[in-house]
């Protein structure tokens, strides 16, 4: 399923979160990640993120979209190329 | 095949690096890209690629194979993961079939027949009707794989001639040529065939079959996955010939997609990108599978065919090579 992850963490933990997210998802903005995950991968991802987070301070949002659908994406400003599998 | 992972296609010269337990693709022409390892099923490198030990060990841990295509677009080799779904029982059964001349000839016959069927279906049913009946006759009479391949060659030659009548002048094949391809059309076909070979190899690696024990092609050749050659045979027309005809008739292929010298041709960088994109999209196209009763992507067809052969080896279920049924 399509997943969008947004995080808001204390500055000193940012790099750790970033690294964990990069293993599973495409980096689309400073604290925004996007990609396709299976149910199992999502659970594994959540477990991995939880070990890094301070749950009393940090906050992570995970948006999931029903399987087979992709959200429409509009972009403004200096754009990075959208995640693709042809490089 | 796992659903949530994808094949990554590298179309420009690049270096794969490991960073933070994940992958970074560095390129000269474009900014480097992080790709999540968990999202990668395998990598097809269509351009020069550098990688090192630390990347290989990461790829190995995630069971990701890398397929390499050479400068001219033919298959150059693969980095296969050490860990496969091995099963001695299957390999023994497969070897027993390959040893039995009658059983292996039956499989080889059906492969050649299915391949020709697909070629005819893709190129022209009417014009190839006669060569196809001739081929079927020679298949029945053939006693060795060599005879079969000879008969197939004859059929293929008529097919190449028919396909030329449907292509614009500059894309015509004028007979098949390889290593290096002589003209644009041949370059296209070689390139797509290379990709399909790599895809079939991935599919075979998902089954316990031994990729070196073949039925039609010679098992004895070293350093070649002969079984993959066998299985790729039926799928080449579905992609190579079919896409060539389609892209030619839609005017998608242009002169600048090829670099051509006097006696050889290859895809240019833009051409390579276009072809890879087209094949990638084509692999994702689905058709309803009659036995499974659900939509199946072309990519999965390769895997299903490899599975069918596994069952033939283990359980004796009759193996019917892939035929275009739609």
């Amino acid at each position: 399923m399509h997943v969008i992850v947004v995080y808001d963490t204390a500055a000193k933990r940012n790099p750790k979160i970033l690294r964990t997210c990069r293993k599973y998802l495409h980096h689309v903005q400073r604290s925004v990640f996007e990609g396709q995950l299976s149910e199992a991968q999502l659970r594994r991802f959540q477990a991995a993120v939880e070990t890094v987070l301070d749950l009393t301070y940090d906050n992570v949002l995970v948006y999931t979209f029903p399987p087979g659908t992709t959200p429409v994406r509009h972009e403004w400003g200096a754009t990075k190329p959208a995640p693709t599998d042809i490089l | 095949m796992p659903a949530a992972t994808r094949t990554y296609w590298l179309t420009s010269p690049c270096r794969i690096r490991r960073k933070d337990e994940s992958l970074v693709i560095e390129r000269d022409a474009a900014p480097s890209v992080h790709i999540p390892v968990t999202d990668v099923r395998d990598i097809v490198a269509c351009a020069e690629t550098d990688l090192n030990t630390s990347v290989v060990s990461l790829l190995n841990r995630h069971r990701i194979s890398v397929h390499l295509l050479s400068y001219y677009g033919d298959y150059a080799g693969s980095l296969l993961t050490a860990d496969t779904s091995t099963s001695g029982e299957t390999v023994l059964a497969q070897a027993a079939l390959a040893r039995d001349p009658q059983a292996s000839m039956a499989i080889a016959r059906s492969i050649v027949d299915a391949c020709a069927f697909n070629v005819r279906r893709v190129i022209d049913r009417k014009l190839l009707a006669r060569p196809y009946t001739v081929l079927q006759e020679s298949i029945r009479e053939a006693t060795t794989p060599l005879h079969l391949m000879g008969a197939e060659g004859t059929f293929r030659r008529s097919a190449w001639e028919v396909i030329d009548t449907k292509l614009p002048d500059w894309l015509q094949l004028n007979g098949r040529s390889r290593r290096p391809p002589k003209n644009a059309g041949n370059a296209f076909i070689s390139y797509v065939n290379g990709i399909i070979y790599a895809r079939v190899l991935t599919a075979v690696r998902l089954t316990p079959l031994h990729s070196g024990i073949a039925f039609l092609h010679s098992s004895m050749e070293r350093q070649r996955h002969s079984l993959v050659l066998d299985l790729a045979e039926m799928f080449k027309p579905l992609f190579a010939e079919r896409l060539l005809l389609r892209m030619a008739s839609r005017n998608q292929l242009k002169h600048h997609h090829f670099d051509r010298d006097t006696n050889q041709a290859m895809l240019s960088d833009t051409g390579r990108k276009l072809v890879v994109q087209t094949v990638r999209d084509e692999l994702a196209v689905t058709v309803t599978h009659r036995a499974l009763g659900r939509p199946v992507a072309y990519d999965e067809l390769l895997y299903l065919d490899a599975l069918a052969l596994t069952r033939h080896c283990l359980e004796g279920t009759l193996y019917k090579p892939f035929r275009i049924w739609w």
Side-chain angles (χ1 to χ4, degrees), chain A residues 19 22-23 26 41 85 87, chain B residues 9 11 20 34 38 280:
Chain A
R19 259 177 265 149
R22 267 190 181 150
K23 253 185 255 177
H26 294 274
Q41 283 175 329
D85 50 359
L87 295 166
Chain B
W9 308 80
T11 54
D20 304 336
H34 289 260
T38 54
R280 194 254 331 236

Side-chain angles (χ1 to χ4, degrees), chain A residues 4-80:
Chain A
I4 297 175
V5 170
V6 185
Y7 63 79
D8 185 2
T9 53
K12 64 170 181 187
R13 278 187 294 279
N14 280 348
K16 271 189 173 174
I17 295 281
L18 178 75
R19 259 177 265 149
T20 315
C21 290
R22 267 190 181 150
K23 253 185 255 177
Y24 291 84
L25 297 159
H26 294 274
H27 198 183
V28 284
Q29 257 185 23
R30 274 176 205 121
S31 60
V32 181
F33 283 82
E34 185 176 350
Q36 295 283 333
L37 293 183
S38 66
E39 290 275 350
Q41 283 175 329
L42 182 62
R43 253 175 276 145
R44 229 171 286 150
F45 168 70
Q46 282 173 342
V49 167
E50 269 175 21
T51 60
V52 189
L53 286 182
D54 175 355
L55 293 172
T56 58
Y57 185 87
D58 302 329
N59 180 266
V60 176
L61 299 177
V62 178
Y63 297 90
T64 62
F65 297 82
T69 64
T70 358
V72 185
R73 198 167 186 261
H74 300 286
E75 253 185 294
W76 288 268
T79 53
K80 269 185 151 186

Side-chain angles (χ1 to χ4, degrees), chain B:
Chain B
M1 295 195 172
T5 54
R6 296 191 283 171
T7 302
Y8 278 80
W9 308 80
L10 308 179
T11 54
S12 48
C14 59
R15 172 187 294 270
I16 307 179
R17 283 207 312 125
R18 170 174 170 173
K19 188 160 190 257
D20 304 336
E21 300 286 290
S22 193
L23 300 172
V24 182
I25 311 289
E26 283 176 353
R27 295 167 292 178
D28 294 337
S32 57
V33 192
H34 289 260
I35 55 175
V37 254
T38 54
D39 188 41
V40 187
R41 179 173 61 213
D42 55 1
I43 297 174
V44 182
C46 311
E48 189 132 306
T49 303
D50 283 354
L51 35 75
N52 56 22
T53 315
S54 61
V55 173
V56 170
S57 62
L58 181 73
L59 293 174
N60 216 354
R61 183 152 15 109
H62 289 270
R63 299 196 188 173
I64 299 165
S65 301
V66 182
H67 302 294
L68 306 158
L69 301 185
S70 84
Y71 188 73
Y72 293 106
D74 38 54
Y75 177 79
S78 302
L79 291 169
L80 300 170
T81 52
D83 190 20
T84 47
S85 37
T86 49
S87 149
E89 199 188 349
T90 318
V91 177
L92 284 176
Q94 187 190 351
L97 273 189
R99 265 292 172 84
D100 178 354
Q102 258 191 330
S104 70
M105 267 308 276
I107 298 177
R109 276 198 191 100
S110 59
I111 287 176
V112 172
D113 193 12
C115 170
F117 179 90
N118 290 344
V119 170
R120 182 186 165 207
R121 165 77 182 71
V122 164
I123 296 178
D124 193 308
R125 277 189 240 218
K126 253 194 214 143
L127 286 177
L128 286 175
R130 177 77 192 126
Y132 184 60
T133 42
V134 172
L135 174 80
Q136 281 184 317
E137 243 166 68
S138 20
I139 287 178
R140 245 174 277 127
E141 287 160 11
T143 45
T144 66
L146 267 181
H147 290 164
L148 274 178
M149 298 228 257
E152 192 199 1
T154 318
F155 174 77
R156 278 281 195 178
R157 263 192 293 285
S158 359
W160 298 127
E161 268 163 36
V162 174
I163 204 172
D164 274 352
T165 63
K166 304 182 171 228
L167 292 171
D169 286 345
W170 69 282
L171 269 177
Q172 284 180 2
L173 303 167
N174 298 318
R176 185 88 175 93
S177 56
R178 301 181 304 142
R179 298 183 190 206
K182 277 211 171 76
N183 47 33
N186 273 300
F188 180 94
I189 297 217
S190 287
Y191 205 75
V192 178
N193 281 349
I195 295 177
I196 295 311
Y197 180 84
R199 301 308 310 154
V200 175
L201 180 55
T202 295
V204 169
R205 296 279 292 189
L206 290 171
T207 69
L209 291 173
H210 192 294
S211 56
I213 303 178
F215 301 98
L216 174 61
H217 293 83
S218 162
S219 302
M220 300 309 284
E221 261 175 277
R222 270 204 265 172
Q223 303 192 330
R224 284 180 84 183
H225 300 284
S226 322
L227 179 65
V228 177
L229 289 175
D230 280 9
L231 291 179
E233 209 65 46
M234 294 84 74
F235 293 98
K236 284 173 179 171
L238 176 63
F239 294 94
E241 282 88 347
R242 191 152 160 262
L243 287 179
L244 178 60
L245 283 172
R246 182 195 297 169
M247 291 177 86
S249 68
R250 288 184 186 168
N251 263 334
Q252 281 174 303
L253 287 173
K254 304 275 194 269
H255 288 274
H256 72 263
H257 289 135
F258 296 91
D259 291 336
R260 280 178 294 171
D261 289 335
T262 36
N263 217 1
Q264 68 181 56
M266 57 184 282
L267 288 162
S268 67
D269 285 350
T270 46
R272 192 182 303 152
K273 213 156 198 164
L274 175 75
V275 172
V276 167
Q277 236 152 27
T278 315
V279 174
R280 194 254 331 236
D281 292 342
E282 192 69 10
L283 282 165
V285 172
T286 56
V287 285
T288 307
H289 194 282
R290 286 178 299 190
L292 296 177
R294 65 170 170 89
V296 164
Y298 286 6
D299 203 16
E300 204 178 341
L301 289 174
L302 313 183
Y303 175 59
L304 290 176
D305 208 61
L307 266 191
L309 188 58
T310 316
R311 301 190 69 192
H312 181 75
C313 294
L314 278 179
E315 304 167 8
T317 336
L318 185 64
Y319 168 59
K320 287 190 214 145
F322 164 74
R323 279 170 193 242
I324 303 175
W325 67 77
W326 57 92

